[in-house]
Amino acid sequence: MAIEFAKLHGCGNDYIAIDGRSIERDWGPLTAEISKPAFGVGSDGIVLLLDSDVAQVRMRVYNPDGSEAEMSGNGIRLFAKFVLDRGIAEPTKDGLTVETLGGVRTVWPEMVDGRMKSARVAMGPAMFTASEVPVDTTELGGIGEVIAEKTTIGGVELSITCLAIGNPHAVAITDQSVEDFPLLEVGPLVENHLMFPQRINFEVVNVHARDRIRARIFERGAGETLSSGTGSTASAFACRKLGLVDDAVDVVVDGGVLRISWDENDEAYLEGPAVEVFTGVWNE
């Protein structure tokens, strides 16, 4: 079977976009194959276009290991560019609405000559209640929220704050330079720790100023990535929860800079670029 696709990236976080509206198949195994560097196209996963009964379009997100994610902040921007540039949907004055497993999200695109250059995404409020993230806090004494809790994983002492922003995150804010942090060793141990029954995304963060933080991101099912929209949002939310930043923050990631801001209702907004790299056909 020949499957047409487009590869896009946002600050180095790359996804393969596929119009799956007329295709019936198991997308997990395909994602694992097509995402492989060298042997496949290479990506941090796929974003799949489907019809929706509750929004203009529906997006499913798959990690490169074939597992499905609830939401991707960078992925939804790239998905929106794929949809809008091809005229599959048109944004209204209120933006483009997208159904995800993490709920309906709105994307406000910046269009230049009929093509999307960047976008602002409504990421929603964060959920810090442990059962909603979810986190099993038995070994932490059964606490209701995990906020700057000290724990040791893989021999490394961490102060973690856990939250859900469409998907689950554990954020470790540290004075140690994130450049020196052993993320490749500690990341898999955090992701698969027994505290996290659905596994978890892991971010390690330095606060540089009240409007600027530095984050490295280990994505559930993907490993270390150059960028992550939900990871950047979660990092900023954790810092804000602890009173370390103001209501607009630049998050510096390996692939660039993403902007997180909040409104009066504590809703977070993510702003960043979207670039189409190339199109192709995957032959099975």
Side-chain angles (χ1 to χ4, degrees):
M1 182 179 183
I3 299 176
E4 296 183 355
F5 69 86
K7 181 171 179 176
L8 307 97
H9 84 87
C11 288
N13 196 194
D14 58 337
Y15 280 88
I16 295 165
I18 296 173
D19 185 347
R21 291 175 295 173
S22 62
I23 305 173
E24 290 288 338
R25 64 165 304 135
D26 184 351
W27 292 99
L30 172 66
T31 304
E33 289 300 314
I34 201 171
S35 297
K36 290 178 180 176
F39 295 98
V41 177
S43 75
D44 291 316
I46 69 170
V47 286
L48 183 68
L49 166 64
L50 296 170
D51 292 319
S52 174
D53 294 327
V54 297
Q56 290 175 269
V57 285
R58 178 185 172 202
M59 177 185 75
R60 294 180 72 179
V61 184
Y62 289 87
N63 298 314
D65 66 354
S67 61
E68 188 168 5
E70 298 91 342
M71 170 61 181
S72 167
N74 283 334
I76 198 171
R77 288 202 321 280
L78 305 180
F79 174 84
K81 179 174 176 61
F82 177 78
V83 167
L84 296 176
D85 286 4
R86 288 159 176 78
I88 295 169
E90 294 289 336
T92 69
K93 62 180 177 62
D94 298 318
L96 175 76
T97 56
V98 181
E99 178 188 356
T100 76
L101 283 180
V104 175
R105 296 288 189 264
T106 302
V107 180
W108 291 273
E110 179 188 355
M111 305 296 290
V112 177
D113 297 328
R115 300 181 71 82
M116 196 187 103
K117 179 181 179 183
S118 63
R120 183 171 177 254
V121 181
M123 299 294 287
M127 295 183 294
F128 288 90
T129 303
S131 61
E132 293 179 329
V133 175
V135 184
D136 181 346
T137 61
T138 301
E139 68 176 55
L140 297 176
I143 55 178
E145 293 184 344
V146 180
I147 308 296
E149 286 294 323
K150 297 291 193 300
T151 187
T152 300
I153 299 178
V156 177
E157 184 175 294
L158 302 171
S159 174
I160 59 170
T161 296
C162 295
L163 64 148
I165 182 72
N167 54 9
H169 293 265
V171 180
I173 301 169
T174 178
D175 292 331
Q176 176 188 1
S177 170
V178 299
E179 317 302 337
D180 299 328
F181 187 87
L183 185 61
L184 295 179
E185 291 74 33
V186 177
L189 301 178
V190 175
E191 176 190 355
N192 296 288
H193 196 278
L194 292 176
M195 282 194 296
F196 309 119
Q198 296 179 13
R199 299 187 295 163
I200 205 159
N201 301 284
F202 177 54
E203 292 81 32
V204 58
V205 176
N206 293 149
V207 178
H208 289 166
R210 295 196 64 83
D211 62 354
R212 193 174 182 85
I213 64 176
R214 168 74 171 106
R216 285 178 65 197
I217 299 164
F218 194 92
E219 276 196 321
R220 177 183 58 172
E224 185 174 10
T225 61
L226 294 176
S227 172
S228 166
T230 58
S232 297
T233 305
S235 297
F237 248 122
C239 292
R240 186 169 179 261
K241 181 78 169 178
L242 295 171
L244 301 175
V245 298
D246 296 325
D247 286 342
V249 182
D250 286 336
V251 183
V252 181
V253 292
D254 287 342
V257 180
L258 294 167
R259 181 78 165 176
I260 312 297
S261 59
W262 292 268
D263 66 13
E264 64 279 4
N265 298 316
D266 212 32
E267 171 120 5
Y269 295 86
L270 163 70
E271 297 176 62
V275 178
E276 184 166 314
V277 184
F278 61 83
T279 60
V281 177
W282 178 262
N283 291 305
E284 295 185 289

